[in-house]
Amino acid sequence: MEHLKRLAVLADGEMAPHPSKTLAGVLRYRSDRVVVAVDRQHDGRDTGDVLGLGHGTPIVRDVAAALEHGPDGVLLATEPTGGVLHPYWRDQILQAAEAGLDVVNGLHTLISGDERIVAAAQRSGARIWDLRTPPVERYRTPLDADGKPIVRVREHRPGTRTVLAVGTDCGIGKMTTMLEIERESAARGLGPAFVATGQIAMMITGRGVPVDAIMSDFVNSVVEDEVCDAVREHDLVLVEGQGALNHPRFSAVTLGLLHGTRPDSMILCHDLRRPAIKLMPDWPLPPLKRAIEINEEAARWLWPDGPARVVGVSVITGAVPDEQARAELARITEETGLPATDVLRYGPGPLVDAIMAGPVAS
Amino acid sequence: MEHLKRLAVLADGEMAPHPSKTLAGVLRYRSDRVVVAVDRQHDGRDTGDVLGLGHGTPIVRDVAAALEHGPDGVLLATEPTGGVLHPYWRDQILQAAEAGLDVVNGLHTLISGDERIVAAAQRSGARIWDLRTPPVERYRTPLDADGKPIVRVREHRPGTRTVLAVGTDCGIGKMTTMLEIERESAARGLGPAFVATGQIAMMITGRGVPVDAIMSDFVNSVVEDEVCDAVREHDLVLVEGQGALNHPRFSAVTLGLLHGTRPDSMILCHDLRRPAIKLMPDWPLPPLKRAIEINEEAARWLWPDGPARVVGVSVITGAVPDEQARAELARITEETGLPATDVLRYGPGPLVDAIMAGPVAS
């Protein structure tokens, strides 16, 4: 979908009270490819005014109006509860497909399973990009000349750095942290590779692997392949990260990702305003030191003497005043012995410093 | 597939030098439903003589010969490298489907994806039971009346015991251990439920969930549902187990299973002859005390004060003489402080004792 350069972002009802995760991510990091956003509630306004993101992107009320901006695709900026699309959305997507626009979808609910939209796309020549499609073509175990399975874990090139974002919860800044680290390390001439592991970062970077859609038997090996391909070409590989080892629902995803990634260092992500797992108030987040221990311990299960260490903390400080935010970061540094920053407020510099001063593959 | 009571077990080339895992499991625990086995190499013999399992089960050379024994289904007792069926097998299965026999398949490679076999089955009225079919119908998050997702973790009934087999590797006796514990605890009148988590135990028990075929995002929740349904009806729930937390390829499966199960106690399975991960000689198994620590630690990530403890060790002692086997078990008990037994040689009694003396849900 890298050819799509004029996206209409469908975001009906997804701008207030907070922008959906997809909308915020795409407008923050890929607004150069967005020509229009769709939301009845903010029709006629600009995403810069409404959200502080994607300045200059007009908001229109529906797909019909969006067509006047000459889009080449629609991107679904929604994460509906239960993954089921509202009929209104379906109808809007159908209109887009009829008009020949490609459809970029990050939901587990695949648009390619919708017969009417598929038929419309076939008539118009539009393509459907279901980013959460299980990558079944990658589920094969390679065989040697004798037909025996090759189950050798691929090594990382010595001297390279593979970095994984981990977190105390889902939706706690892992993608943003790693994209900011990518930007900063690219500016420093470090030539980083970014490995997207979730649908939003795949929308932003145009590639990656939807880790949570992989059949559990193949999570580790598919991730390993994706990461090792990047390590072959780059000295610094940034792996987005997904879920949390202490998450009652998604820990399987996170452990497979950690073990498939074989990180040399990790960045722990946290949100000061988050006392418990999102939507699960009975599940308090662990203290940061414990979260660090949990992730380093899981790495030691495979690499007892391995270097994998958490080297920095990325903190969402929210709307607290500058002085208080800095005090919180200082407190976290004291508590953990690690550099801490809010990447959107103060930049990712200390994290890049820590990564470059940290472990390398040997 | 519970109605299938006269199975022909397809095991061509799977009897020597060792029986396939599927063949051994089905003959050991479900031979009452097996009327014939198929293997060209041992045509005319009896599985009892060849394998010491399923005494009285004749071996014939092909499906055509098996039909004379009046089977109602064929069961694929093979785990081919890479999951790809040999053309000879495909042809045999096709003949079975043409003859109206149901097909029971535990491979990731689904028979329902084979057009010729499907067409033959449709003509004859045979059904295909692909046990590793991803349970997509269970991938939905329930919504409340307001359309908000319900992500409450279900509790276990107080006073019940949920037991999970964990191990130092795959294929290290978890299923056998739990089936032996089931038999013993049923004999003691404890009314256990058995939750199969892999295809072979599903063949044996007629139900369960293929954990390694679940999309990673849903492993924890699907397992939780399966286990909690059992806990509602039974005071003792035995969960088969899958993989190992220290397995470079399958740790995701194992952690999702552990967190979805919410065990009160665990049984650690090990094979004395196994120095390293199967097929991965560079990955030594952890010492038993460390393996215990790893599994208890992973449980603490969700339940910091929770009871989940390893309460016993199930050891495959192999062909070593009785005296040596007993000495090894005594050494393991000394090392771990836990009862240890070889369930096939000495029975699972000490493990059932330990479970019943161990933690309960509160």
Side-chain angles (χ1 to χ4, degrees):
Chain A
M1 68 196 174
E2 264 302 89
H3 65 288
L4 298 174
K5 299 193 195 304
R6 297 184 58 78
L7 288 165
V9 173
L10 302 192
D12 195 74
E14 299 289 353
M15 295 198 182
H18 303 291
S20 73
K21 206 175 149 185
T22 308
L23 180 62
V26 169
L27 286 180
R28 180 171 286 126
Y29 294 106
R30 213 63 259 219
S31 63
D32 58 319
R33 297 199 172 188
V34 176
V35 295
V36 63
V38 177
D39 176 35
R40 284 173 292 185
Q41 199 180 334
H42 299 91
D43 181 22
R45 300 183 62 188
D46 178 297
T47 63
D49 298 336
V50 175
L51 304 168
L53 295 168
H55 296 274
T57 306
I59 303 171
V60 299
R61 57 175 291 102
D62 53 24
V63 164
L67 289 176
E68 295 170 22
H69 295 267
D72 52 12
V74 290
L75 182 149
L76 280 52
T78 182
E79 304 98 27
T81 52
V84 181
L85 273 177
H86 190 279
Y88 175 78
W89 275 77
R90 239 190 107 235
D91 183 61
Q92 290 287 300
I93 298 163
L94 181 61
Q95 288 182 36
E98 283 169 346
L101 304 191
D102 281 15
V103 179
V104 180
N105 169 40
L107 302 177
H108 279 308
T109 304
L110 304 183
I111 297 296
S112 55
D114 187 306
E115 289 181 20
R116 283 188 66 199
I117 297 176
V118 168
Q122 280 172 344
R123 283 192 301 272
S124 71
R127 293 184 64 178
I128 294 166
W129 304 88
D130 277 324
L131 303 183
R132 221 77 162 271
T133 304
V136 291
E137 72 285 358
R138 300 171 74 165
Y139 290 176
R140 300 234 170 263
T141 303
L143 305 181
D144 67 15
D146 298 332
K148 289 210 190 99
I150 302 171
V151 283
R152 201 175 307 117
V153 171
R154 290 169 63 182
E155 299 288 330
H156 291 194
R157 192 160 44 82
T160 58
R161 288 177 170 84
T162 299
V163 187
L164 174 68
V166 297
T168 51
D169 193 1
C170 296
I172 204 147
K174 289 184 280 286
M175 179 186 82
T176 301
T177 297
M178 294 311 263
L179 287 168
E180 292 295 333
I181 288 175
E182 181 196 24
R183 180 147 63 185
E184 169 74 11
S185 55
R188 293 191 192 181
L190 297 169
F194 187 93
V195 176
T197 60
Q199 68 281 2
I200 304 175
M202 290 171 71
M203 289 171 177
I204 292 167
T205 66
R207 55 163 297 175
V209 57
V211 175
D212 65 10
I214 303 174
M215 188 182 279
S216 64
D217 224 10
F218 298 96
V219 172
N220 301 36
S221 59
V222 170
V223 169
E224 181 188 317
D225 270 343
E226 189 79 8
V227 170
C228 285
D229 285 351
V231 171
R232 217 166 37 197
E233 309 280 339
H234 297 263
D235 292 341
L236 176 60
V237 174
L238 306 168
V239 183
E240 179 193 358
Q242 209 77 8
L245 291 175
N246 55 293
H247 197 296
R249 284 294 154 85
F250 305 125
S251 55
V253 179
T254 309
L255 186 65
L257 178 55
L258 198 163
H259 283 173
T261 295
R262 190 179 194 153
D264 301 296
S265 59
M266 297 179 274
I267 300 293
L268 178 69
C269 300
H270 183 60
D271 184 335
L272 285 181
R273 303 158 301 181
R274 188 86 56 91
I277 296 283
K278 205 171 176 179
L279 299 177
M280 304 179 85
D282 296 340
W283 296 83
L285 301 192
L288 292 180
K289 279 198 79 157
R290 175 65 176 146
I292 290 167
E293 187 178 87
I294 285 171
N295 284 281
E296 292 182 346
E297 167 72 2
R300 274 194 299 270
W301 296 349
L302 292 197
W303 306 285
D305 313 310
R309 277 207 325 267
V310 174
V311 298
V313 186
S314 176
V315 184
I316 301 174
T317 56
V320 302
D322 177 69
E323 196 179 343
Q324 189 184 339
R326 290 182 189 275
E328 289 283 4
L329 294 173
R331 185 187 57 73
I332 287 170
T333 291
E334 189 167 357
E335 178 188 341
T336 62
L338 298 174
T341 182
D342 181 324
V343 295
L344 291 180
R345 283 180 98 156
Y346 307 118
L351 302 179
V352 177
D353 296 343
I355 290 165
M356 297 312 294
V360 297
S362 57
Chain B
M1 70 198 171
E2 264 301 89
H3 66 288
L4 298 174
K5 297 191 195 308
R6 297 184 57 78
L7 288 165
V9 173
L10 302 191
D12 195 74
E14 298 290 354
M15 295 198 182
H18 303 292
S20 72
K21 206 175 148 185
T22 309
L23 180 62
V26 169
L27 286 181
R28 180 171 286 126
Y29 294 106
R30 214 60 263 216
S31 63
D32 57 319
R33 297 198 171 189
V34 176
V35 294
V36 63
V38 177
D39 177 35
R40 284 173 291 185
Q41 200 180 334
H42 298 91
D43 180 22
R45 299 183 61 188
D46 179 297
T47 62
D49 298 337
V50 175
L51 304 169
L53 295 168
H55 295 274
T57 306
I59 303 172
V60 299
R61 59 175 290 103
D62 54 23
V63 164
L67 290 176
E68 295 170 22
H69 294 267
D72 52 12
V74 290
L75 182 149
L76 280 53
T78 182
E79 304 100 27
T81 50
V84 181
L85 272 178
H86 190 279
Y88 175 78
W89 275 76
R90 238 190 109 236
D91 183 61
Q92 291 286 301
I93 298 164
L94 182 61
Q95 288 183 35
E98 284 170 345
L101 304 191
D102 281 16
V103 179
V104 179
N105 169 40
L107 302 177
H108 279 309
T109 305
L110 304 183
I111 296 297
S112 55
D114 187 306
E115 289 181 19
R116 283 188 66 199
I117 297 176
V118 169
Q122 280 172 342
R123 283 192 300 272
S124 71
R127 293 184 65 179
I128 293 166
W129 303 88
D130 278 324
L131 303 183
R132 222 79 161 270
T133 304
V136 291
E137 73 285 359
R138 300 170 75 164
Y139 290 176
R140 300 233 170 261
T141 303
L143 305 181
D144 66 15
D146 297 333
K148 289 211 190 97
I150 302 171
V151 283
R152 200 175 308 118
V153 171
R154 290 169 64 183
E155 298 288 329
H156 290 195
R157 191 160 45 81
T160 58
R161 289 177 169 84
T162 298
V163 187
L164 174 67
V166 296
T168 51
D169 193 1
C170 296
I172 204 147
K174 289 184 278 288
M175 179 187 82
T176 301
T177 297
M178 294 311 263
L179 287 169
E180 292 295 332
I181 289 175
E182 181 196 24
R183 180 146 64 183
E184 169 74 10
S185 55
R188 293 191 192 182
L190 297 169
F194 187 93
V195 176
T197 60
Q199 68 281 3
I200 305 176
M202 290 171 72
M203 290 172 177
I204 292 167
T205 65
R207 55 164 296 174
V209 57
V211 175
D212 64 10
I214 303 174
M215 188 182 279
S216 64
D217 225 10
F218 299 96
V219 172
N220 301 35
S221 59
V222 171
V223 169
E224 181 188 318
D225 270 342
E226 188 80 8
V227 170
C228 286
D229 285 351
V231 171
R232 216 166 39 198
E233 309 281 339
H234 297 263
D235 291 341
L236 176 61
V237 174
L238 306 169
V239 184
E240 179 192 358
Q242 210 78 6
L245 292 175
N246 54 293
H247 197 297
R249 285 294 154 85
F250 305 125
S251 55
V253 179
T254 309
L255 186 65
L257 178 55
L258 198 163
H259 283 172
T261 295
R262 190 179 194 154
D264 301 296
S265 59
M266 297 179 274
I267 300 293
L268 178 69
C269 300
H270 183 59
D271 184 335
L272 285 182
R273 303 158 301 182
R274 189 84 58 88
I277 296 283
K278 206 172 174 177
L279 299 176
M280 304 179 84
D282 296 340
W283 297 82
L285 302 193
L288 293 181
K289 279 198 81 159
R290 175 66 176 144
I292 290 167
E293 188 177 87
I294 285 171
N295 284 281
E296 292 182 345
E297 167 72 2
R300 275 194 299 270
W301 295 349
L302 292 197
W303 305 285
D305 313 310
R309 278 208 322 269
V310 174
V311 299
V313 186
S314 176
V315 185
I316 300 174
T317 56
V320 301
D322 176 69
E323 197 179 343
Q324 190 183 338
R326 290 182 189 275
E328 290 284 5
L329 294 173
R331 184 186 58 72
I332 287 170
T333 291
E334 190 167 358
E335 178 187 341
T336 62
L338 298 174
T341 183
D342 181 324
V343 295
L344 291 180
R345 283 180 96 157
Y346 307 119
L351 302 179
V352 177
D353 295 344
I355 290 164
M356 297 312 295
V360 297
S362 57

